[in-house]
Amino acid sequence: MKPVALVTGGARGIGRGIVSALAIDHEVAATYNTTSPDKLADEQPGVLLIHADLADPACVQGIVDQVIARFGRLDVIVNNAGAIETDETDTGLNHAVNVAAPIALLDAALPHLQSGACVINISSVNAVLPAMGAMSYSASKAALNTWTRGMAKTLGPKGIRVNGIAPGAIERVERPRPPDLVKAFVDMTALGRCGVPEDIAKVVRFLASDAASFITGETITVSGGYRL
């Protein structure tokens, strides 16, 4: 029986890359909100697509219920969905989606998680390298990193691992950045390129695998040496 993974924000970008990577040997459910899931559905017809606005914590129980109803189990949670509000427009969405939603989702899922399950939180290098004009976003990711470590300690005795990944500058296929901004990111990255969603997805696959069975409480930076 294949393990079951739930990926939030799976319809585009990093999330879509993660869904495709896990679908190789997992049953996968993916949430989406404002992005149409049609392309993902065409690429991965076996994926359970769940519409959910993770700014509303009341939605998380329904997400878990749908996953359990379809697959009967849940083994991997990837908290990928994220909000990026600037400090000028911050209405609390950064905290709601980037921190409160992963906490609520794990609370709802915990009764179904067995020893060997894992949680993977998609953070950001901005958690430790705060971005000008986006301090609220940066702070929300720093909070996510702290929660990652705390939950790893809490759930370790149950055999459940909790880790994070902090991407650097990742290409946005659906919404390309201006060329001058891409160049600025590349110039600040030791490996001389922006990352692609597959770079993050490979690390998710590793953390979800038995190869990472003795890793918990870590947030792995996957940035190509951004701002070293």
Side-chain angles (χ1 to χ4, degrees), residues 46-217:
V47 170
L48 171 63
L49 296 169
I50 303 171
H51 181 261
D53 180 359
L54 287 164
D56 177 8
C59 77
V60 297
Q61 187 62 57
I63 294 170
V64 173
D65 289 346
Q66 289 187 61
V67 173
I68 299 302
R70 171 75 171 269
F71 301 114
R73 58 186 290 175
L74 180 55
D75 305 284
V76 180
I77 299 174
V78 183
N79 288 304
N80 168 74
I84 305 178
E85 284 189 309
T86 66
D87 296 323
E88 291 77 15
T89 62
D90 181 28
T91 62
L93 189 63
N94 288 325
H95 178 80
V97 177
N98 301 343
V99 186
I103 293 172
L105 184 58
L106 180 56
D107 285 346
L110 198 53
H112 305 284
L113 301 182
Q114 304 297 319
S115 178
C118 68
V119 179
I120 302 167
N121 299 316
I122 305 302
S123 182
S124 169
V125 293
N126 290 318
V128 294
L129 299 168
M132 184 68 71
M135 281 76 79
S136 172
Y137 167 76
S138 301
S140 72
K141 291 299 189 179
L144 182 64
N145 289 358
T146 300
W147 180 71
T148 296
R149 294 187 67 184
M151 288 312 301
K153 186 182 295 186
T154 299
L155 298 181
K158 297 179 182 293
I160 299 170
R161 297 179 296 111
V162 186
N163 289 294
I165 298 172
I170 304 298
E171 290 181 6
R172 301 192 314 196
V173 176
E174 296 89 355
R175 295 182 300 156
R177 296 182 177 92
D180 58 336
L181 182 57
V182 173
K183 182 180 185 305
F185 283 142
V186 170
D187 289 346
M188 288 188 287
T189 301
L191 292 182
R193 68 171 176 89
C194 286
V196 294
E198 290 75 16
D199 292 321
I200 308 304
K202 290 173 185 176
V203 183
V204 170
R205 275 189 59 83
F206 166 67
L207 289 175
S209 74
D210 288 341
S213 62
F214 202 55
I215 298 175
T216 196

